[in-house]
Amino acid sequence: MFQIDNNWFNPNSVIEKVEDVVESIYITQEVTGKLHALSSEDEEVLHKLADYFGRYPKYSGFPNNSIDENDIEMFVELRKNLRAIGWGMNLNYSSDWNELTEKANNLINSR
């Protein structure tokens, strides 16, 4: 919301946050895979969630300082979808795995 309110002053911060989410998903997949801690259904949810976030612009490593209108629309839609399922700042937080997979499925199906 900060970038929306500030005319996308620093779009790279949004791109980096989305990439942080993708990296966290991959780390979770790697650790739980080694521990055989997830069911195949849970592994599939993580895979689909990584794919969902993987469609967003990538940080090039250099400050781009500009994104096009399509990118902006994608990020605005992402924010709307995340808030609709209950993820975001100042919303309810839970570490329950079943709640995570339910919200992830709702997000994936929101496309």
Side-chain angles (χ1 to χ4, degrees):
M1 189 65 199
F2 179 82
Q3 292 304 318
I4 293 169
D5 288 344
N6 290 281
N7 200 30
W8 293 90
F9 174 74
N10 184 12
N12 291 318
S13 66
V14 177
I15 294 169
E16 288 174 17
K17 294 299 179 193
V18 170
E19 287 185 354
D20 288 347
V21 169
V22 173
E23 184 178 326
S24 295
I25 294 168
Y26 288 145
I27 290 169
T28 301
Q29 288 174 312
E30 184 176 337
V31 170
T32 57
K34 289 179 181 179
L35 297 173
H36 306 287
L38 297 179
S39 68
S40 59
E41 293 84 13
D42 290 341
E43 289 175 3
E44 182 65 22
V45 168
L46 287 178
H47 178 73
K48 287 180 181 178
L49 197 57
D51 286 347
Y52 179 91
F53 283 105
R55 66 189 179 114
Y56 290 92
K58 308 285 186 277
Y59 182 64
S60 67
F62 299 98
N64 297 332
N65 292 326
S66 67
I67 55 177
D68 63 28
E69 281 300 314
N70 184 51
D71 295 338
I72 290 172
E73 289 175 20
M74 287 177 65
F75 285 129
V76 169
E77 184 72 16
L78 173 62
R79 180 184 184 277
K80 183 187 100 186
N81 290 342
L82 289 171
R83 305 251 338 143
I85 63 165
W87 277 343
M89 296 289 290
N90 301 318
L91 296 175
N92 193 13
Y93 174 78
S94 171
S95 60
D96 180 68
W97 182 260
N98 291 331
E99 185 175 334
L100 173 102
T101 57
E102 179 183 341
K103 287 181 177 184
N105 280 320
N106 289 338
L107 180 64
I108 293 162
N109 293 327
S110 69
R111 301 193 226 190

